[in-house]
Amino acid sequence: MSLTPERAPLPRNMIENDMFEEEPDVVDLAKESPSYPIDSDDVVYEPRSSRLLVRGLGENDLDEDEEDYESSARLLGMSFMNRSSNQRSAASSYTRQQHSGSCSRPSTKTTVVGVFILVLVASVFMVIYFVPGCTFSRNGCPKTNSTMNSIYPISTNGEVFPWTELRLPSSVHPVHYNISLYPNLTLMTFQGSVSILVEVLHETKNIVLHSSDMSITKATFEGEEVHVLEYKPWQQIAIKLKDVYKKGQYVLNINYKANLSNSYDGFYNSSYVDTNGTKRVLAATQFEPLAARKAFPCFDEPAFKSTFTIKMTREPMYISLSNMPKVKTTDLKNGLQEDEFEKSVKMSTYLVAFIVAEFVGVSNNVSKTMVSVYAVPDKKDQVQYALDTACKLLDFYNMFFENDYPLRKLDLVAIPDFLAGAMENWGLITFRETTLLVGSNSSSIDKQLVTSVIAHELAHQWFGNLVTMRWWNDLWLNEGFATYMQYMSIETVFPDLDIDTEFLNVRFKAQGKDALNSSHPVSTVVSTPEQVEEMFDSVSYEKVSKQNLSVSEMMNTWTVHKGFPLVTVKRSGIKVTLTQEHFLLNAENSTGDSLWHIPLTYVNDSCSLLSSCKQVFHLKDKTATLKLPSQVKWLKFNFRSDGFYIVHYDEEGWSDLIVALNEDVNVLSSKDRAALINNIFALSRAGKVSFKQVLNLMDYIKNETATAPLTEALFQLGQIYRLLDKRSELNLASRMVSYIDDHFGSLMENQSWDLETSVSNMTLRSALLEMACSLDISNCTVNAKRLFDQWLTSNKTSHFRIPSDLMRTVFKVAAQTDEGWSKLLYTYKHSINDPEKRKTLEALASTQDVRKIIWILQKSLDGSEIQTQEFPLVINTICKNFAGYLYAWDFVKENWDQITQKFPVGSFAIQSIIMSATSQFSTKTHLMEAQNFFSSLGTKGSQMRIVQEAIETIKLNMRWMDNILNTLQNWL
């Protein structure tokens, strides 16, 4: 799945269900937490292990004790990886610690008194027990059940629910689902029936599966009606069987009804207004990670792979789509039609998908696969680029993996109301309109985004769909490798899109998050739904590197440890001492015991630009020594920033590199220069180098012309400016503007405002001019107003086009006047070009008018005039400016309940909202306010990892500002 784009143990043996003949001791776990932590990874499936599932390999053929727990890296070893022979070690056994030491012997008197008391207490209890009716209470004392040691939850009807885990039991597995659905798009409800062929692996009297937000009207097992219990907190139902069923295959039928979801997960309703002003409705699905259970009762965990046959009843005006090709359409007596789809390949429930909508599409046959792109009728002319791109990438992946895409069709569908960037449903990939549609006015940067998302989702058809993590703790196996393939494939198939620079930026972003104490290992334990949602972050997606080495040799050091290493380089003549440690922006809580296997790459002054110049040294220990030729002047480690680590040099090492750059800016590659800027700012935030050293390096930037280092420098300086601005350090903020003008002003002044074709040039000039206009540097606002007026004069037609990469900058300038803002609002409401629409919305949200800020916050949350899916973007944009950031923070606090009804707790949208609203706080007052608010949310809100990240970021901002203010006073 692609994220929304932004430019932003208690070991217990499983007790079989049929053992419970007596009434167990019970407690409602929704109200009272158990006295032990529920670690689902240690109960049902391989403890602390994740075996990947490959379609058709018979993952249920072995008993659990006999299974070969191969490492994730081994099963992912396709054409470009060495197969691993390592096995992940099983969890160590639990040993109770015995108390040591001796006790003094009690006196005779003490012993006698103690025995007397014990006899007295025992006598009292015997009297209570044997007195008829236990008359110490009005109703007597019920006989307690001392044979049940486990604690069981209470179902909605008051009965005991026969399962105690968040993860489902392994005693029953699905084999095949027959699903029939009828969504009523007038009433926004749906009726469904599911027939599940299940395989009982261990004899049982109960079948436990998932179901959420639906009313079950009837359930039968092998033709006999059965009793259904529900435990809502875990979204589970239990089918109580009349007999003990032994190993074998059986059929479970369930009829149900539900409302189409109003949020963005499950089987949800969506709507849009066409160009005639008519409201159109549709129904679509988003099941990853835990929402298939909202559309049909199922075994909703990725390990329970199965096949599916889907039938969809609809009104004739709509079409329906699902994972597989359509077999036939049947006319029903009530005027409806039923579409039946082919039996699917074996797959996880989160990949099932279906859509009912008024869509149109275009198709092309490639590599024995019919590739189609669907959109609303008004936007049919915007689908051709996506079709051409998908066909080229499908050809590439078929060749590269040497394993053809296994389905006969592949649909890509643009959904008008969709929260994520896209979703890799097998054979039916769903997208935001912004990430799939390309209009005639779209720039190469817009095409870069669309190409990236398509490449990512197509890679998932192998990484994730064909090869699947067993549980969500190894989400990185899906997302990390899909991200890697996304950039690698585009670099090969679409070299003109300059994707390598973007890949560098996402690695910097991932390092920024992974350098926090609140980060997590790539592979980590997740139990609750909120923890599963939170795994969808930049660490899972973007902690990848371009090293092409044996995976098996070093995989564990990079997936089990949280964070990444800092390599410190100290040189004495020809001797170089290399030391590694865990890099943390706040190292106070560092344990310091993590060691990585780091393939260090480096170049020197004699050869520094070509790949052939690169040398490699494998650092596996805490410290190692490297010897150099005597004539080496300087060293640059992490060649082209291909490795996921930060490098710190001693004072002489930094000085040599700074001198070299000032003498010749091209002595290092542009990516190496960008990495030096990124690393020294990160080291400054961590307190490893003084900010004076940062400014020393930045002196060379006046001679810089390349996109990667310039955009990285602008990003870092922009962060400092916004922190100063939010602290009302008006004098220093003004001097920072002067500093930026001094170092970048001439470059900003020389940027063209005409149409540009180079992606690299567009990326650079949009960054330079957006910064210049926001800080009112040079003549930026004058030129922006001129372009906006020309655009209005031409009646927004093709006779005059604002270059797409400059549109956001031009619109943001225009939005600062009442007239400009009103015209942009009209444009937003009537535009059918999605890149233009999104940039218009960002401009509207950049206003300094408080009344407009409050209006746009309200309208984007309630969805009345701005799509609710854009609320995170609105918050992010408003919080960048001084005028609105406190209003946005107050709005988030006051509307938290409504926000979490729209977006799942822990989801990427919630993560974005929280970080946007708090990431520029840097005062004690704001820290206390944030702590008080998040602590008031209760366990679901306050325990989110993103909350910890937000609090940690505020503290780091406070410390960094305190550390650099004096330097800024003296140097700016």
Side-chain angles (χ1 to χ4, degrees):
M1 181 169 70
S2 292
L3 302 179
T4 305
E6 294 286 356
R7 271 295 251 230
L10 180 70
R12 292 187 290 158
N13 295 325
M14 184 179 70
I15 303 174
E16 286 302 314
N17 298 332
D18 60 307
M19 294 175 61
F20 304 110
E21 302 295 337
E22 297 181 302
E23 181 77 4
D25 296 330
V26 297
V27 63
D28 189 343
L29 296 184
K31 300 176 181 176
E32 182 175 336
S33 299
S35 58
Y36 50 85
I38 299 175
D39 186 349
S40 56
D41 272 356
D42 290 341
V43 180
V44 182
Y45 299 116
E46 299 86 4
R48 296 180 176 84
S49 177
S50 178
R51 189 168 77 90
L52 290 180
L53 304 178
V54 182
R55 178 177 61 85
L57 292 188
E59 60 271 25
N60 300 327
D61 293 344
L62 300 176
D63 291 337
E64 288 190 291
D65 292 337
E66 297 172 340
E67 287 184 326
D68 176 19
Y69 301 132
E70 297 180 275
S71 70
S72 302
R74 177 172 181 177
L75 283 173
L76 270 171
M78 291 191 173
S79 306
F80 68 107
M81 289 186 178
N82 298 325
R83 278 186 86 86
S84 166
S85 59
N86 286 3
Q87 293 182 346
R88 186 173 292 181
S89 60
S92 57
S93 60
Y94 175 80
T95 304
R96 186 182 295 274
Q97 297 296 319
Q98 301 295 331
H99 290 288
S100 60
S102 58
C103 298
S104 58
R105 187 173 182 176
S107 65
T108 303
K109 180 178 180 180
T110 302
T111 302
V112 171
V113 172
V115 170
F116 175 78
I117 293 173
L118 285 174
V119 170
L120 181 62
V121 171
S123 301
V124 170
F125 274 103
M126 288 177 70
V127 170
I128 292 174
Y129 187 85
F130 286 110
V131 169
C134 187
T135 55
F136 287 91
S137 67
R138 176 173 298 180
N139 298 322
C141 299
K143 181 178 179 181
T144 60
N145 180 356
S146 60
T147 63
M148 296 291 105
N149 295 321
S150 299
I151 302 174
Y152 282 78
I154 298 295
S155 304
T156 52
N157 67 352
E159 294 183 43
V160 175
F161 193 81
W163 186 245
T164 64
E165 306 297 337
L166 285 162
R167 298 274 293 275
L168 297 180
S170 62
S171 53
V172 180
H173 281 236
V175 176
H176 179 74
Y177 293 80
N178 282 306
I179 303 170
S180 295
L181 292 164
Y182 168 42
N184 187 320
L185 298 187
T186 302
L187 301 177
M188 291 302 168
T189 61
F190 68 98
Q191 297 177 348
S193 65
V194 59
S195 176
I196 312 175
L197 177 63
V198 298
E199 182 171 8
V200 174
L201 302 177
H202 309 286
E203 62 179 34
T204 183
K205 285 184 67 176
N206 301 287
I207 297 176
V208 181
L209 63 161
H210 290 110
S211 173
S212 178
D213 299 334
M214 62 180 61
S215 172
I216 294 175
T217 55
K218 184 179 181 181
T220 63
F221 188 79
E222 287 295 289
E224 292 189 38
E225 192 160 351
V226 288
H227 186 42
V228 180
L229 300 177
E230 181 179 20
Y231 185 56
K232 287 187 176 181
W234 291 346
Q235 300 176 343
Q236 293 175 354
I237 57 172
I239 310 298
K240 297 199 73 172
L241 306 177
K242 296 178 180 178
D243 300 305
V244 175
Y245 280 80
K246 297 184 178 181
K247 289 185 179 181
Q249 292 191 348
Y250 306 92
V251 176
L252 170 65
N253 290 303
I254 301 176
N255 295 334
Y256 59 97
K257 58 185 178 180
N259 294 321
L260 288 168
S261 170
N262 289 318
S263 59
Y264 294 98
D265 62 353
F267 195 16
Y268 71 95
N269 71 77
S270 176
S271 65
Y272 64 98
V273 177
D274 66 18
T275 51
N276 295 321
T278 304
K279 182 179 180 180
R280 305 287 183 177
V281 295
L282 63 137
T285 58
Q286 171 59 41
F287 290 163
E288 187 180 41
L290 305 172
R293 63 193 67 174
K294 295 184 177 183
F296 56 98
C298 57
F299 297 78
D300 198 14
E301 295 177 4
F304 288 113
K305 285 193 168 185
S306 179
T307 54
F308 299 81
T309 299
I310 293 174
K311 295 180 180 180
M312 188 67 64
T313 299
R314 57 174 173 81
E315 297 176 60
M317 71 181 75
Y318 300 111
I319 66 167
S320 70
L321 301 169
S322 189
N323 304 85
M324 304 301 292
K326 185 167 62 174
V327 176
K328 63 178 180 179
T329 297
T330 304
D331 290 327
L332 304 179
K333 293 181 180 179
N334 53 9
L336 301 175
Q337 293 180 320
E338 181 186 73
D339 294 330
E340 181 177 346
F341 299 89
E342 286 181 10
K343 181 180 178 181
S344 76
V345 293
K346 199 172 187 181
M347 62 184 181
S348 303
T349 49
Y350 77 89
L351 294 171
V352 176
F354 29 85
I355 296 169
V356 175
E358 296 177 81
F359 282 165
V360 294
V362 295
S363 303
N364 193 9
N365 199 306
V366 176
S367 301
K368 301 179 182 178
T369 299
M370 183 61 71
V371 181
S372 305
V373 180
Y374 290 89
V376 300
D378 290 336
K379 300 178 182 179
K380 184 179 179 179
D381 62 340
Q382 301 179 36
V383 301
Q384 190 62 44
Y385 179 82
L387 180 63
D388 296 340
T389 299
C391 290
K392 291 177 183 177
L393 287 168
L394 185 64
D395 260 343
F396 172 80
Y397 284 139
N398 280 337
M399 176 190 66
F400 185 82
F401 292 131
E402 298 178 1
N403 188 357
D404 284 353
Y405 173 76
L407 307 187
R408 293 194 297 110
K409 70 98 171 173
L410 174 64
D411 296 339
L412 294 79
V413 185
I415 308 292
D417 212 12
F418 195 74
L419 186 57
M423 177 60 209
E424 67 268 19
N425 314 301
W426 215 345
L428 183 62
I429 307 175
T430 47
F431 296 78
R432 272 194 178 204
E433 291 181 323
T434 310
T435 59
L436 187 66
L437 304 181
V438 173
S440 57
N441 294 339
S442 298
S443 70
S444 297
I445 290 182
D446 300 324
K447 292 177 181 177
Q448 184 194 67
L449 170 63
V450 169
T451 306
S452 292
V453 178
I454 293 174
H456 184 96
E457 303 309 328
L458 258 63
H460 270 309
Q461 307 303 298
W462 286 263
F463 288 109
N465 299 9
L466 183 65
V467 184
T468 312
M469 78 269 148
R470 194 171 187 88
W471 181 242
W472 298 106
N473 59 309
D474 275 335
L475 175 67
W476 70 276
L477 293 167
N478 280 17
E479 300 300 347
F481 282 99
T483 301
Y484 177 88
M485 291 306 302
Q486 161 190 337
Y487 291 108
M488 192 275 283
S489 63
I490 294 175
E491 194 172 22
T492 305
V493 182
F494 301 95
D496 293 342
L497 291 182
D498 191 36
I499 203 66
D500 216 22
T501 300
E502 181 62 22
F503 193 19
L504 184 69
N505 290 334
V506 300
R507 295 205 300 279
F508 289 161
K509 175 185 173 184
Q511 282 184 333
K513 184 180 181 72
D514 208 18
L516 299 174
N517 282 299
S518 53
S519 183
H520 60 87
V522 169
S523 179
T524 190
V525 173
V526 289
S527 301
T528 68
E530 293 77 23
Q531 289 173 338
V532 172
E533 291 278 4
E534 286 198 297
M535 286 301 291
F536 291 81
D537 65 6
S538 59
V539 175
S540 296
Y541 276 70
E542 293 154 4
K543 192 173 177 181
V544 292
S545 85
K546 292 189 70 175
Q547 299 298 335
N548 209 4
L549 299 160
S550 171
V551 173
S552 62
E553 188 177 347
M554 53 184 172
M555 181 61 77
N556 279 345
T557 69
W558 290 95
T559 60
V560 176
H561 295 326
K562 176 174 72 174
F564 60 93
L566 166 66
V567 176
T568 301
V569 180
K570 293 183 178 180
R571 182 180 173 188
S572 179
I574 63 171
K575 178 182 176 183
V576 178
T577 302
L578 303 166
T579 306
Q580 66 161 297
E581 62 183 291
H582 183 183
F583 179 76
L584 285 170
L585 290 172
N586 181 7
E588 294 175 3
N589 300 322
S590 175
T591 57
D593 56 358
S594 297
L595 285 177
W596 287 263
H597 177 171
I598 314 169
L600 290 175
T601 57
Y602 63 98
V603 293
N604 60 44
D605 60 292
S606 64
C607 185
S608 59
L609 296 175
L610 302 176
S611 296
S612 57
C613 299
K614 178 178 67 177
Q615 301 181 64
V616 181
F617 180 86
H618 287 268
L619 180 60
K620 304 178 184 179
D621 302 317
K622 179 76 174 175
T623 303
T625 302
L626 171 68
K627 289 188 177 180
L628 301 173
S630 58
Q631 68 272 22
V632 171
K633 293 181 181 178
W634 52 260
L635 290 166
K636 164 62 174 69
F637 278 81
N638 199 1
F639 180 61
R640 295 182 180 173
S641 197
D642 284 346
F644 203 83
Y645 56 95
I646 279 180
V647 184
H648 179 29
Y649 303 89
D650 58 17
E651 188 171 345
E652 183 180 351
W654 277 114
S655 178
D656 290 340
L657 285 167
I658 291 170
V659 169
L661 284 174
N662 280 312
E663 290 177 353
D664 180 8
V665 71
N666 294 311
V667 74
L668 290 171
S669 72
S670 61
K671 286 195 282 188
D672 279 313
R673 303 196 300 268
L676 284 177
I677 294 170
N678 173 271
N679 282 198
I680 204 165
F681 272 94
L683 290 164
S684 175
R685 289 198 75 192
K688 298 283 186 180
V689 301
S690 68
F691 199 71
K692 179 179 178 181
Q693 187 77 307
V694 175
L695 295 173
N696 283 335
L697 174 65
M698 291 299 292
D699 278 344
Y700 103 91
I701 208 76
K702 294 179 181 179
N703 300 319
E704 184 61 83
T705 58
T707 298
L710 283 168
T711 53
E712 179 63 20
L714 286 169
F715 171 76
Q716 297 290 351
L717 293 171
Q719 278 193 314
I720 295 176
Y721 170 79
R722 282 191 289 272
L723 286 172
L724 293 171
D725 189 41
K726 302 300 191 302
R727 286 171 66 107
S728 295
E729 294 279 358
L730 302 182
N731 180 42
L732 282 178
S734 175
R735 287 158 68 179
M736 177 58 74
V737 173
S738 299
Y739 177 87
I740 293 172
D741 190 5
D742 181 57
H743 285 71
F744 299 89
S746 61
L747 201 57
M748 292 170 171
E749 185 73 33
N750 293 329
Q751 293 302 304
S752 165
W753 291 79
D754 297 326
L755 291 174
E756 172 64 69
T757 57
S758 163
V759 173
S760 180
N761 291 346
M762 283 190 284
T763 302
L764 176 58
R765 80 168 179 181
S766 62
L768 285 166
L769 294 180
E770 188 160 356
M771 174 74 83
C773 281
S774 67
L775 301 181
D776 200 16
I777 293 175
S778 302
N779 294 317
C780 186
T781 56
V782 174
N783 287 319
K785 288 175 182 176
R786 174 176 56 82
L787 258 65
F788 185 73
D789 291 341
Q790 288 178 283
W791 183 64
L792 290 179
T793 302
S794 71
N795 201 26
K796 309 174 191 176
T797 64
S798 58
H799 297 297
F800 180 82
R801 287 164 48 189
I802 299 173
S804 181
D805 59 301
L806 298 180
M807 192 173 284
R808 182 170 60 182
T809 297
V810 170
F811 285 178
K812 281 186 174 182
V813 171
Q816 304 314 311
T817 67
D818 288 342
E819 181 185 6
W821 197 89
S822 297
K823 292 183 182 298
L824 287 169
L825 181 60
Y826 180 87
T827 299
Y828 174 79
K829 289 180 178 180
H830 294 88
S831 174
I832 62 170
N833 180 289
D834 291 285
E836 176 185 279
K837 195 177 183 76
R838 190 172 175 87
K839 291 163 189 171
T840 305
L841 178 59
E842 289 182 84
L844 292 169
S846 70
T847 178
Q848 308 297 300
D849 188 322
V850 171
R851 293 170 301 170
K852 294 183 176 72
I853 289 170
I854 294 172
W855 182 89
I856 202 169
L857 284 168
Q858 292 172 336
K859 296 302 180 182
S860 59
L861 183 58
D862 64 34
S864 58
E865 297 189 57
I866 298 170
Q867 289 177 304
T868 301
Q869 67 178 18
E870 302 291 8
F871 181 72
L873 177 65
V874 167
I875 289 288
N876 180 272
T877 306
I878 288 174
C879 288
K880 288 178 181 177
N881 299 310
F882 183 83
Y885 85 108
L886 291 180
Y887 288 98
W889 168 237
D890 286 341
F891 189 85
V892 168
K893 290 187 297 180
E894 292 166 6
N895 295 275
W896 183 254
D897 289 342
Q898 188 178 352
I899 290 170
T900 51
Q901 289 171 5
K902 302 278 188 179
F903 310 105
V905 173
S907 66
F908 180 74
I910 290 293
Q911 295 179 47
S912 175
I913 290 166
I914 289 175
M915 287 309 298
S916 297
T918 62
S919 63
Q920 293 171 70
F921 290 166
S922 64
T923 66
K924 189 173 182 180
T925 299
H926 283 144
L927 172 64
M928 293 176 63
E929 190 174 335
Q931 287 174 324
N932 290 337
F933 169 67
F934 289 125
S935 64
S936 72
L937 299 180
T939 54
K940 277 197 172 183
S942 61
Q943 297 305 311
M944 284 190 292
R945 187 187 297 117
I946 197 67
V947 169
Q948 301 168 37
E949 181 181 331
I951 297 301
E952 187 177 355
T953 299
I954 298 171
K955 292 178 179 178
L956 287 168
N957 289 343
M958 291 169 60
R959 189 185 72 178
W960 199 34
M961 284 292 99
D962 290 343
N963 288 344
I964 70 173
L965 284 177
N966 286 338
T967 303
L968 292 174
Q969 290 280 7
N970 295 328
W971 278 66
L972 292 185

